Amino acid sequence: MRRLVAAAQSVIMRTDRGPMRSIWRLAYRFAMRGYVAYLRRGEPGSAAYVHGSLSTGEFLHGLSDIDVVIVLAPDPAGPGLARDRVRRRCRRVSRALPVLGDLLFDWPAVFEDADLQDAVAASTLTYRLSRAPGRASSHAVYSGSNSDDDKIRLAERPQLYGPMHDWRLIAGPGRRPPPPTTLDADSRRIAAWLELQYWWQWAFEACVNPGLPHIAHLCVKLIAEPARIWIWLARGERVPSRAEALDRGSVEFPAEAEAFERGRDLLGRLPSQPTAPLAEFLPAFVRLSARVAGELAGQVEPAGSTEVRLKWSDRDPLALPHGGWAPARPTRWDKPAPALLPLVDWRALAMPSLPDETFAPIPGDPGDPGTLAAAALALDRGPYPTLSADRLQIRPVRMTGRRRLRTLQCPATDPVSFALAAGATVACFPEVAGLSVGDTAARAVAEHAVWLAAEGKRDSEALGRLITAARAALLWESVDEGDPELHLTMEATLDALAARGAAAAEAAREGYHEFAVFWRPPPDPLIAALHDAVVALPAYASAPQEAKLPR
């Protein structure tokens, strides 16, 4: 099937500039209309949109995906029912005609009205921010009944010029909520950085699979997109197309003029399926990413920063359920094995997960495709191999959940990792929306509060998630008291709980070490006891508890 799809793509691309172009245009339009009609069948008032290259006029037959969004009126019988019906239809099409997914359609996004309105209100870093405790019972993106994969994707990539800016209605009545009339500097900064992180995940995949048909096109994107991001961030100007971004890039970055010229040449040759020149374009991508990081740093500096003490424990520093540096195959970094440092970035704080995630600083040039590929393939769990460049930490990963919000960081977006890499005991969080320690702690408490209140028996990772919930609450409390302190590890967090008289802390310490070594689920009474100690912390004490854990 893969070979058949590749052959079909080759034929379509090579004939797209001749008389066949109109035929391919009609064929794609027919396929799109038929697909959308099937998805919307039996859903009164539903709307369909396309976005991405098809709506901006940069669509390449045989190479570009058709990106579809379905927006639904809610079913009177209950929220989520209409959305689930449409997604079942998507799965039927995918099973019956897998070639459509490989050749034509990306997996469509499906929203009900309320979910879409909620999803476009703010990015994941600023979603329903409130620094007051006990107001987070329905303010989570990653947990609870309001959580949804499409909503998460939109929150994690709100689009450079704002959510829905490139959506074009193709069927049904308009159902888009009104977009914000203006995007303030904070929103632009967050959208710009999340967009850059998004393109880095594709750079990693290109290095691992350089022979895929779309990689030459991706090379163009890897210099056009950071240029477009920088122009929006620094100038507040929108650049409608990648061709224009390449032209503007030559003006804004004279030192990279040759790279942009190669990008223009490659863009014109895409129908002939040229070999992907990753080694030529990746170094420029790294340098342009550093320019975006530098612009971000310059913008947040006037707002000042807040110092946060980084708290270790006197006990064994790390408990690692997924192991330490133990690649499945030998790597160039095994002798000696790199040191592991706690990974306590925004994701580690705000998403209910296991404590003691780590990153491993490794030497190498992130502009070298071979180095990125080797680092991305080194581990599929446990420590994150981390390469450094000017103002950047780059964490190569494959296209899995490990990559979420972690592909690329700079001091403003992950001050803890940069402080630890430098051997510092204090991290400086910029005092701007979404990146400040106050906003980070508030979002972390909101996400954990919903998870803490969830019904049902906890899974085998519940003890670890309770510890991260405690860490979030302790950080929030220290910020509220004007003396910010972040506990870096499981041991440090449980030390703090024990110092407050939490009787469950010592048993939790022993239970988590058992879990980390043997993956042995902790007993329910231990989980329940630590749960009671965590929800009694000031950050959660007034939050409504929907259900008690089983004892």
Side-chain angles (χ1 to χ4, degrees):
M1 179 63 72
R2 192 179 293 269
R3 290 182 179 179
L4 177 63
V5 170
Q9 287 177 316
S10 178
V11 169
I12 294 171
M13 291 175 64
R14 289 182 182 278
T15 58
D16 192 40
R17 289 193 172 182
M20 287 293 294
R21 182 174 179 79
S22 59
I23 302 298
W24 296 131
R25 185 183 296 114
L26 287 173
Y28 270 68
R29 184 176 300 174
F30 178 79
M32 178 182 67
R33 296 288 181 181
Y35 182 60
V36 164
Y38 175 69
L39 296 184
R40 295 177 60 237
R41 188 180 66 180
E43 302 296 340
S46 61
Y49 298 86
V50 292
H51 67 100
S53 58
L54 190 60
S55 67
T56 61
E58 299 177 278
F59 193 82
L60 297 173
H61 296 106
L63 195 58
S64 302
D65 292 325
I66 300 175
D67 298 305
V68 174
V69 181
I70 306 294
V71 185
L72 306 161
D75 190 315
L81 296 177
R83 180 183 63 210
D84 291 343
R85 285 194 297 268
V86 172
R87 286 180 177 164
R88 284 196 293 271
R89 294 189 191 108
C90 294
R91 287 191 288 271
R92 289 190 202 111
V93 174
S94 181
R95 287 194 297 266
L97 297 169
V99 68
L100 288 182
D102 294 332
L103 185 60
L104 293 179
F105 297 102
D106 200 357
W107 186 263
V110 184
F111 298 96
E112 292 184 2
D113 286 338
D115 287 334
L116 179 59
Q117 187 167 3
D118 194 38
V120 302
S123 73
T124 189
L125 303 185
T126 54
Y127 178 73
R128 295 197 185 186
L129 268 173
S130 170
R131 294 192 183 183
R135 298 184 186 175
S137 59
S138 63
H139 294 183
V141 173
Y142 299 100
S143 302
S145 59
N146 285 335
S147 181
D148 177 77
D149 286 345
D150 287 332
K151 185 175 175 180
I152 289 171
R153 279 191 285 269
L154 193 53
E156 290 183 344
R157 190 196 175 199
Q159 301 288 323
L160 190 60
Y161 304 137
M164 309 179 299
H165 83 277
D166 63 345
W167 290 17
R168 178 164 61 85
L169 183 67
I170 58 169
R175 302 199 73 93
R176 285 190 302 177
T181 54
T182 59
L183 295 171
D184 59 24
D186 292 323
S187 298
R188 287 204 304 271
R189 280 192 289 267
I190 291 171
W193 191 255
L194 293 177
E195 186 72 7
L196 189 60
Q197 285 187 328
Y198 170 82
W199 287 110
W200 268 95
Q201 71 184 20
W202 289 104
F204 300 153
E205 190 66 12
C207 294
V208 172
N209 295 297
L212 294 177
H214 67 276
I215 302 302
H217 193 198
L218 180 63
C219 288
V220 175
K221 297 175 183 178
L222 291 184
I223 58 169
E225 292 303 329
R228 196 198 316 239
I229 290 167
W230 185 91
I231 291 167
W232 176 239
L233 188 60
R235 307 276 189 254
E237 299 174 15
R238 303 186 184 208
V239 181
S241 70
R242 293 192 181 102
E244 292 179 59
L246 294 172
D247 291 338
R248 282 291 303 274
S250 295
V251 175
E252 300 289 355
F253 307 104
E256 304 293 348
E258 183 180 349
F260 287 110
E261 179 59 36
R262 289 200 303 269
R264 285 189 289 269
D265 174 69
L266 184 59
L267 182 61
R269 293 189 294 113
L270 287 178
S272 64
Q273 297 179 279
T275 301
L278 265 176
E280 296 178 26
F281 285 82
L282 195 57
F285 182 50
V286 174
R287 293 191 296 268
L288 290 169
S289 297
R291 291 293 298 270
V292 173
E295 177 62 29
L296 181 65
Q299 289 192 15
V300 303
E301 185 177 9
S305 61
T306 298
E307 292 188 348
V308 178
R309 294 193 313 280
L310 305 179
K311 184 71 173 177
W312 293 83
S313 172
D314 293 332
R315 301 172 186 263
D316 292 338
L318 297 167
L320 305 173
H322 295 295
W325 183 268
R329 59 178 66 87
T331 77
R332 67 187 75 173
W333 301 288
D334 294 343
K335 296 180 180 179
L340 302 184
L341 296 171
L343 180 55
V344 196
D345 56 357
W346 188 93
R347 171 177 155 178
L349 289 167
M351 293 172 62
S353 58
L354 295 178
D356 289 6
E357 295 184 274
T358 59
F359 71 100
I362 57 175
D365 177 11
D368 171 43
T371 298
L372 278 191
L377 292 170
L379 296 162
D380 60 4
R381 62 183 63 193
Y384 284 76
T386 300
L387 297 159
S388 295
D390 184 22
R391 292 183 286 243
L392 302 174
Q393 284 184 358
I394 299 160
R395 310 198 206 285
V397 288
R398 296 297 308 277
M399 296 289 276
T400 67
R402 273 170 64 83
R403 73 181 187 269
R404 172 170 283 165
L405 301 176
R406 280 184 168 162
T407 56
L408 179 75
Q409 298 291 6
C410 68
T413 61
D414 185 8
V416 176
S417 293
F418 279 83
L420 291 173
T425 58
V426 170
C428 296
F429 283 71
E431 275 300 314
V432 295
L435 301 178
S436 71
V437 67
D439 286 355
T440 299
R443 283 288 294 118
V445 165
E447 293 290 340
H448 285 91
V450 172
W451 179 80
L452 287 168
E455 297 183 15
K457 186 174 180 178
R458 304 297 185 180
D459 60 23
S460 61
E461 297 185 4
L463 186 61
R465 292 192 179 112
L466 286 169
I467 295 168
T468 61
R471 178 171 61 189
L474 293 168
L475 175 62
W476 183 94
E477 188 177 345
S478 71
V479 172
D480 192 52
E481 292 173 349
D483 188 20
E485 181 177 69
L486 174 60
H487 297 86
L488 295 171
T489 64
M490 175 273 293
E491 294 282 9
T493 303
L494 292 178
D495 284 349
L497 288 182
R500 290 166 171 252
E506 290 305 324
R509 193 190 314 274
E510 181 178 347
Y512 193 73
H513 276 293
E514 286 280 311
F515 169 76
V517 174
F518 303 109
W519 280 84
R520 186 174 297 154
D524 286 345
L526 172 57
I527 296 175
L530 187 63
H531 176 271
D532 289 346
V534 172
V535 298
L537 294 170
Y540 304 124
S542 57
Q545 296 301 304
E546 299 174 1
K548 285 290 185 181
L549 289 173
R551 293 187 179 274

